[in-house]
Amino acid sequence: IGLCSIGVAPSLWAFVAFVLVGRIGNAMYHPVSARLVTASIESRAGLAMSIFHFAGNCGIAVGPVAVLALVGLVGLNRLQIAALPGLAIAGALYAYTARQMRLRDVFRPTTQAAGTRARLRVAGPFLALIVIAATRSGVWASMNNFIPIHLVGNGFSPMIGGVAVSIFNLAGAVFGLYAGAVSDRMDRGRVFAITMLAASGALALFLATGNLLGLVWLGVAGAGLLASTSIAVVMAQEMNPKHRALAAGMVMGMAYGLGSSLVAPVGWLADHIGVPGALWAATGVCFVASLAAFVVLPARRQGPLRTSENHGGHN
């Protein structure tokens, strides 16, 4: 509702308020929905989360085109119409989850959980996961921003730069489905580390290739970087099963926020050593992060996510 009301904002401050309301709603939605996604199919949490991310990436791709088409058809002052599908889906989702998943039980903490609500396990592997996920996010954002500039600087057209970014992200969205399914059968930490290692190698091959064949390697790099996103969320929830929404929120929000701040140093490097050098540096950071993932992330056999709610009826 907030973002769809910007067309009728009477002032700049009202515009900012509408945007803030929309973004706050977005920030509230993702941790809770991630909690529901993994709770619905606990034995295939990796696949469920990868489908969730794939649908979100499709929405990001289609959304701008759909909104522009709507504005061209009815005008900016009637952009609120775009909120109607979201409101309908929200109502249907609430009705379905309340019936099928007993929402009050999913979100009600047990006595033990309520007594330890503030004691989220942020030490050790969980903190390392956030740092590595933030690094992955920073490399991904840097590539999205500077790959078109890099290609244009090498003599390619701006259209090729746009196509390259699309390949980078589309490959990640599609391959993420496969990686999520694989992480349900293998050790999730190892799958996460392997995808990042593959991404760093593919980025190096892309930068070393001076022709259109490099777009193939760029697609592989996007697959590796984005495939690790859903895996990281499920790993965070497994490390903190009593606080799955909070754990997901920290990885999806904090890691993304910290990662976005890494774009500025890459831009600074681009100004001083050139865009290719800056992208090589970002690739090196990705490689180091992948090695760190092999070392510090816990290795364990995968199984359904467990919470005290799950165990309550099986004593």
Side-chain angles (χ1 to χ4, degrees):
I1 295 176
L3 292 175
C4 292
S5 299
I6 60 175
V8 295
S11 66
L12 174 61
W13 291 111
F15 177 87
V16 171
F18 285 143
V19 172
L20 285 176
V21 169
R23 300 311 296 172
I24 290 172
N26 181 68
M28 294 174 64
Y29 165 78
H30 282 91
V32 176
S33 59
R35 167 73 170 89
L36 286 172
V37 166
T38 53
S40 62
I41 316 177
E42 295 187 346
S43 63
R44 303 297 300 276
L47 177 60
M49 187 60 65
S50 65
I51 293 173
F52 175 71
H53 277 277
F54 175 76
N57 288 329
C58 290
I60 292 173
V62 175
V65 178
V67 169
L68 286 174
L70 179 63
V71 170
L73 184 64
V74 302
L76 187 60
N77 60 340
R78 295 184 179 178
L79 184 58
Q80 299 98 319
I81 296 174
L84 295 178
L87 292 172
I89 292 173
L93 181 62
Y94 178 83
Y96 174 80
T97 52
R99 182 177 66 254
Q100 299 293 329
M101 300 181 61
R102 295 182 302 173
L103 265 177
R104 65 179 185 274
D105 295 330
V106 171
F107 290 105
R108 178 189 298 155
T110 62
T111 302
Q112 180 181 7
T116 59
R117 181 177 300 172
R119 296 189 299 175
L120 180 67
R121 294 184 296 174
V122 296
F126 183 65
L127 182 59
L129 176 63
I130 291 179
V131 173
I132 295 171
T135 303
R136 181 215 64 83
S137 180
V139 172
W140 172 80
S142 298
M143 294 300 164
N144 272 289
N145 280 277
F146 294 105
I147 279 175
I149 301 174
H150 171 71
L151 290 174
V152 171
N154 284 346
F156 294 98
S157 68
M159 176 63 71
I160 294 297
V163 170
V165 172
S166 296
I167 292 174
F168 181 66
N169 289 285
L170 182 60
V174 173
F175 184 75
L177 296 172
Y178 175 73
V182 170
S183 73
D184 288 327
R185 302 186 185 94
M186 300 174 58
D187 178 73
R188 237 182 283 280
R190 290 296 174 261
V191 175
F192 180 88
I194 290 171
T195 56
M196 286 197 63
L197 181 61
S200 60
L203 285 173
L205 290 171
F206 162 72
L207 294 172
T209 303
N211 51 44
L212 291 178
L213 179 62
L215 296 182
V216 176
W217 295 117
L218 186 62
V220 175
L225 281 176
L226 285 180
S228 60
T229 304
S230 58
I231 300 173
V233 174
V234 177
M235 288 179 64
Q237 293 178 325
E238 288 174 335
M239 293 176 187
N240 298 277
K242 296 176 183 176
H243 308 277
R244 284 191 274 179
L246 180 57
M250 293 182 71
V251 172
M252 299 173 75
M254 183 183 294
Y256 290 172
L258 291 174
S260 297
S261 67
L262 296 178
V263 177
V266 175
W268 182 86
L269 281 176
D271 287 337
H272 288 77
I273 65 175
V275 173
L279 292 180
W280 275 109
T283 301
V285 170
C286 184
F287 176 71
V288 172
S290 68
L291 296 183
F294 277 108
V295 175
V296 301
L297 295 183
R300 55 172 172 251
R301 186 179 181 85
Q302 299 309 130
L305 291 173
R306 297 292 182 185
T307 65
S308 51
E309 295 100 328
N310 300 132
H311 296 306
H314 296 82
N315 294 327

